[in-house]
Amino acid sequence: MGERLVADVVVERLRAWGVGRIFGYSGDGINGFMGALRRSAEGPEFVQARHEENAAFMAVGHAKYTGQVGVVTSSQGPGAIHLLNGPYDAKLDHVPVVAIIGQQSRSVLGSGYMQEIDLLNVTKDVAAHFNQLVSSPQQVPMVIDRAFRAALAARQPTVV
């Protein structure tokens, strides 16, 4: 196997939390994560939706009917905006959901590059219990673990 990437660590943490299925709509902001999912022989399974909003509602439905944490992923910008309805449903129904949203490289944040939005401010209401931007590889295991702990403890959506 080649070099281990940050996205591979994300997938490892998801497996450690027992995630068997991730719902999402692929795009540029999460290409690394999509590659890590493809490389992982042990899963989790990726369920491709036709739209980010559909993926978010699929994750919420998964959480409601299995009792497990629902996980959704999308790219940055409009992808992140589109998935917001699902976490709002989870918030109102007290369902644990973790949303993993892509972001531009740190080197271009603040430049308006490629449909950049201020994700922390956009998601702060729906993910009031935990909403965190990962800005260094060393943060990944801790942030993913905290997102799952917060989602389960508060029965609310969280965003990474």
Side-chain angles (χ1 to χ4, degrees):
M1 185 171 164
E3 180 183 1
R4 186 168 169 236
L5 304 174
V6 172
D8 296 311
V9 176
V10 173
V11 170
E12 289 169 11
R13 293 312 312 144
L14 293 174
R15 274 198 316 267
W17 280 97
V19 174
R21 189 171 292 131
I22 298 170
F23 302 91
Y25 185 78
S26 57
D28 287 346
I30 57 170
N31 281 341
F33 182 54
M34 299 305 296
L37 287 170
R38 280 190 295 277
R39 287 190 297 277
S40 175
E42 301 89 30
E45 169 192 11
F46 179 71
V47 178
Q48 173 82 34
R50 291 181 182 250
H51 192 274
E52 295 88 350
E53 185 175 22
N54 291 344
F57 280 121
M58 292 163 80
V60 173
H62 176 82
K64 286 179 180 180
Y65 293 104
T66 67
Q68 301 170 349
V69 177
V71 180
V72 61
T73 189
S74 80
S75 60
Q76 73 284 353
I81 301 294
H82 292 156
L83 76 71
L84 286 177
N85 283 330
Y88 271 110
D89 183 44
K91 180 178 182 173
L92 295 174
D93 285 349
H94 303 285
V95 177
V97 170
V98 174
I100 300 172
I101 302 173
Q103 181 61 290
Q104 288 82 6
S105 170
R106 283 182 298 167
S107 65
V108 296
L109 287 178
S111 69
Y113 176 77
M114 199 171 143
Q115 301 174 324
E116 178 184 355
I117 62 170
D118 184 347
L119 283 172
L120 290 177
N121 277 321
V122 167
T123 57
K124 72 181 178 182
D125 178 57
V126 74
H129 283 75
F130 188 82
N131 185 21
Q132 183 67 51
L133 172 69
V134 174
S135 57
S136 75
Q138 296 81 7
Q139 287 180 281
V140 169
M142 174 198 63
V143 170
I144 295 293
D145 289 351
R146 287 188 61 210
F148 274 84
R149 285 188 195 109
L152 287 164
R155 311 256 338 135
Q156 292 288 301
T158 61
V159 172
V160 177

